Amino acid sequence: MASADEFAAMFYGEPGVLGLLANGISAFLVLLQNFNGAQTGVPSQGVEHILAGVQLILIGGVTQLLAGLLSFRKYDHLSGTSFIAFAALWGSYGSTRIVLGAFPPSINSTNTTDQLYPANSTFRNTELATPPIGQSAIAGLIAYISVSFILAFCSATVNYIMPFVFGAITLTLIFEAVGLVGGWALVVSGVLELVILMCGLYGAAALLLKGVTQRYILKGFGNPLFDVLLLGKANNSNSQKLGEEKKKNTQYAEPMALGYLCDTISPFIFAFFCFGYLPSFFVGTIWVTINAFSQLFSSYYAYLRKDVYHTTKFCLHSTYWLVKSWEEFVLSVLIDREGVVSGRERMVGDWFFLATAIVLCLMSLNMDVLEVAHNLLFLLLTVSTISQIPLGGYYIFFGVICSLFTALSLYGTFARLINSIGEKTLIPVGVQPLSTEKLQDVLGLIKRCWVKPQDLPRSTVTQLPDALFYVTNGIAALSAIHSQDVHPTFLHLTIPWVLIPGAIIQVYVSRLGIQKGRRFGPIIPSCYAAIWATWTWYRFAGVLLGISTDFAGGFTAGAVAFLVLNGFLMLIGAYVNVVLLLLTLVMEVIVVCFLLSTLGRLPYQLEIAMLAIFSLICLYGTLASLANSIFRKELLPLGPPLLKATQEKADKTPPPPPCSIATSRKTSGLLSISKLLDAGGVCGIPTDTVYALAASCKHPQAIEKIYNIKDRPQEKPICICISNLEQLSTAKPPFSPLLWEFMRNVYPGGISCIVKKGEWLNKLGVGPAYDRVGTKESIMIRVPDHTVTAHLCNMTGPLAITSANPSGEPDSTHHDMVITRLGHKISGVLCDGESNEAVGSTVVNCLKIDEGTITIIREGCFPAAQVRHIFEKVKNSME
């Protein structure tokens, strides 16, 4: 019986269990309310809505979000995207029910408004008392109907349980939206929610049993409704490009589909509002906010995949939707519409969004047409929301562009998800508009004009989150510009423009700095987040709250503390590059202006000039950091560090390595490792996937050492590795022609085939290790597509191998990881640098291949869909 720790590990290994259960239980909660209302004729009200909303947020939102995050770490494109998207759906729907319980339609709107705002208040809006909950919920539900349909269709290429769950969710959303107008549809919705519950429970049980037994007991997973490769013919050039990227990034699923999906939801809701369907954006703000935070996860996983472009793009889009939604919230709820024009026309923050959108358009020219078109439409979005546009045409222009952006994002969601699942460009995304070399030449013009290449030390190369740091600070600084005679409406509207990018999103940027353990990485973003939060509180909210200079002693003391703190940040900037040093210098002057404002002596012209200069530095920093990080070279100069850390010379020789170290580039290195293996040692070796621990099959005791070295459970078998199929054929195993042909099509490569054991293993050279490898009845065979490993197997004979990591920990993707984690326990390491993949091989059970079936035990670097496609092709050719 599984222990408690093992049972919990199953949920980590099979996050689909959590995701399917969360969808099923959430649907059940809504089902109970729908059936209760239909039976009693009395719809839920007040506390019932609030309690149901809280449960939906916790179960459908938080729990399913966890499932999505775990799925991304399992390199599961579909589940990661789907579960995070549906987590946002249930979280938004739960929040809507809470609002519905807090603002029942029967409340007298005039009385409620009078309680919230006095009669003589400048800021009162009767729409707060009775927000248009039904219309806002319909807008959100219709947006999710389109994306859930795409998710249902895409899931059919993976298994045939999720299509029923996601398809039932799609139909449920349709009838839930209709039910907000006509109550009869809620009964139909309840029936569909029962389908979600039943299919979700079955799917969760199937995955749970698979996690316990390590094989599929219940049908539904492991085989798709149809092969994803049937959706289109792969483009050779794009497929090659995708394959090259995949070799570096298979540790985490691709987040592009999730980013496009979130870019479908937010503009759809805004389009409803702009075209007058929603009289207020009260509830719409909730839906867009939750969706925007979901988009941050696509940025986060792009960062983990070392994809600086999508990290920046999706974080920028998330920031944009957050700022615009809360701006419309202020306009809908807090401000009298008559005072909007005078406040809006003084806002200039959107110009930084526009400039950054132009940068993204430039950086995407070497990608594909879909990416360029998406960036161009986002550029139009930023143009459509410039505050200086007259209100008469503002919302029409914004609504039209939102509609176009929604349509393109919807297609992008489908294309990116299908292409990620198939690991090929099956859905057209267009050609590469500009070659990478030409784009680099264009960007390098500035460097060639300013400085000579030899004047740029390599230490000035930027890190992944630097572009986001400049973006968030640039938006906040430009938005904070205002004159002495400021309109109260401007103060209300500017709060989200400064607080969200400058403080909230910059905390996320600080978190990215912590993620990779960068020296001083999170310090400057964290400090500047505090500065912009304090700035917003005193300079904008403070005026509205009546905080005068007579009661600003605390802010004065805080400004002095910020001055001292920023002095240390200037020192850090001097150790990094010239651009960061200039930024901290200008921030020092800005903080001085903030200090003078607390004393009532602010020189407005100086502050405006400093904020403008600060924004320009941020814009250049964004462009340079993004270009340098994407192409991993110094294309645009950031300037050398003015101070260099002194390094003490080592007075003593470095300690000897914990084991024998050999290089794969020398024959002597291969010979030394082969001698260690022949002597009964255990060594770390490279393969075509990740690094492995190897022991010679001539020494069973060495194989036993592997279990002790890794703390590997004895019930988990170890596979054998051979150099080629010819080595296997000489042993004459009794394989069927179908199995031989299948092996010829997948070997050498990142696949492990499980076959029946037999006496042929003795002829292969396994002999003494017969009982130490595989199970009693089967053995797993690897034929790596790796020259070094093949030569080593020719020198030593068959090797028993398993991944070179302590049991339960991530795979080793570099020889340094093997040396650091296991070097003191093994005899030697064959060093070959960075591994070709970030995950292990795909394990295929071929025990029933003669019956016409194979089973994917574990999906690794080789896509399961492609394995099935090869098998079907081979099987058809043998008939």
Side-chain angles (χ1 to χ4, degrees), residues 16-17 19-20 71 76 78-79 82-83 86 151-153 155-156 158-169 199 203 207 220-221:
V17 176
L20 292 172
S71 296
D76 188 341
L78 174 71
S79 297
S82 302
F83 291 148
F86 288 132
L151 293 176
F153 180 84
S155 65
V158 178
N159 56 66
Y160 52 89
I161 294 297
M162 286 184 175
F164 286 99
V165 176
F166 297 166
I169 291 176
C199 292
L207 288 176
F221 291 93

Side-chain angles (χ1 to χ4, degrees), residues 513-528:
I514 297 174
Q515 178 68 30
K516 296 297 183 181
R518 291 182 57 201
R519 186 182 183 188
F520 304 130
I523 294 179
I524 298 181
S526 300
C527 294
Y528 283 7

Side-chain angles (χ1 to χ4, degrees), residues 642-697:
L642 300 185
L643 299 177
K644 296 183 179 180
T646 57
Q647 297 180 350
E648 296 181 1
K649 295 182 179 180
D651 296 330
K652 54 183 180 179
T653 59
C659 60
S660 177
I661 304 298
T663 176
S664 64
R665 292 175 175 81
K666 294 183 178 180
T667 305
S668 58
L670 279 172
L671 288 171
S672 64
I673 294 297
S674 66
K675 288 179 181 178
L676 291 174
L677 292 170
D678 288 336
V682 176
C683 297
I685 65 170
T687 70
D688 56 343
T689 55
V690 294
Y691 276 80
L693 290 182
S696 173
C697 289

Side-chain angles (χ1 to χ4, degrees), residues 81-371:
T81 302
S82 302
F83 291 148
I84 292 181
F86 288 132
L89 167 63
W90 290 116
S92 302
Y93 201 47
S95 301
T96 302
R97 289 192 174 256
I98 292 175
V99 174
L100 188 61
F103 296 91
S106 59
I107 291 183
N108 184 287
S109 62
T110 304
N111 293 339
T112 306
T113 307
D114 289 339
Q115 293 174 9
L116 292 167
Y117 296 100
N120 59 354
S121 174
T122 306
F123 306 101
R124 56 186 270 121
N125 195 326
T126 56
E127 290 172 352
L128 177 62
T130 55
I133 300 172
Q135 298 97 313
S136 300
I138 290 175
L141 291 174
I142 294 177
Y144 275 101
I145 287 170
S146 58
V147 298
S148 62
F149 173 77
I150 286 179
L151 293 176
F153 180 84
C154 293
S155 65
T157 65
V158 178
N159 56 66
Y160 52 89
I161 294 297
M162 286 184 175
F164 286 99
V165 176
F166 297 166
I169 291 176
T170 304
L171 295 174
T172 299
L173 294 178
I174 294 174
F175 285 99
E176 283 286 332
V178 176
L180 293 171
V181 180
W184 63 269
L186 295 180
V187 178
V188 182
S189 176
V191 175
L192 292 168
E193 284 152 359
L194 186 60
V195 174
I196 298 173
L197 174 63
M198 300 303 294
C199 292
L201 290 175
Y202 176 85
L207 288 176
L208 193 59
L209 287 174
K210 188 251 182 182
V212 174
T213 63
Q214 293 300 305
R215 61 192 182 93
Y216 292 111
I217 302 296
L218 298 177
K219 294 183 178 180
F221 291 93
N223 293 297
L225 281 176
F226 65 89
D227 194 338
V228 67
L229 299 179
L230 297 176
L231 291 176
K233 185 178 180 181
N235 181 287
N236 293 332
S237 60
N238 286 347
S239 297
Q240 184 180 4
K241 180 181 177 181
L242 179 63
E244 290 172 356
E245 182 204 70
K246 177 180 173 297
K247 291 179 72 172
K248 304 174 184 176
N249 296 293
T250 49
Q251 190 170 1
Y252 303 100
E254 295 175 359
M256 286 76 81
L258 177 61
Y260 274 85
L261 186 149
C262 295
D263 274 335
T264 303
I265 304 298
S266 296
F268 190 93
I269 298 173
F270 268 109
F272 260 65
F273 175 70
C274 291
F275 293 138
Y277 183 78
L278 305 181
S280 168
F281 210 67
F282 184 96
V283 179
T285 301
I286 298 174
W287 285 73
V288 174
T289 298
I290 294 175
N291 180 70
F293 278 111
S294 299
Q295 195 166 27
L296 279 182
F297 288 109
S298 61
S299 169
Y300 177 69
Y301 279 104
Y303 175 74
L304 293 182
R305 288 167 53 86
K306 301 179 182 179
D307 183 354
V308 65
Y309 168 79
H310 286 104
T311 301
T312 306
K313 173 184 175 177
F314 292 138
C315 183
L316 177 71
H317 288 198
S318 174
T319 306
Y320 179 80
W321 298 124
L322 282 171
V323 169
K324 294 306 297 182
S325 63
W326 283 98
E327 178 189 346
E328 292 299 336
F329 174 83
V330 171
L331 290 171
S332 298
V333 175
L334 301 178
I335 295 179
D336 189 347
R337 289 281 179 177
E338 295 179 359
V340 170
V341 176
S342 57
R344 284 186 73 257
E345 62 186 11
R346 304 183 185 186
M347 299 175 62
V348 294
D350 195 76
W351 288 95
F352 198 91
F353 273 118
L354 190 152
T356 310
I358 295 175
V359 171
L360 285 178
C361 287
L362 179 63
M363 292 297 115
S364 63
L365 287 176
N366 68 324
M367 296 181 183
D368 52 56
V369 173
L370 175 62
E371 196 65 34

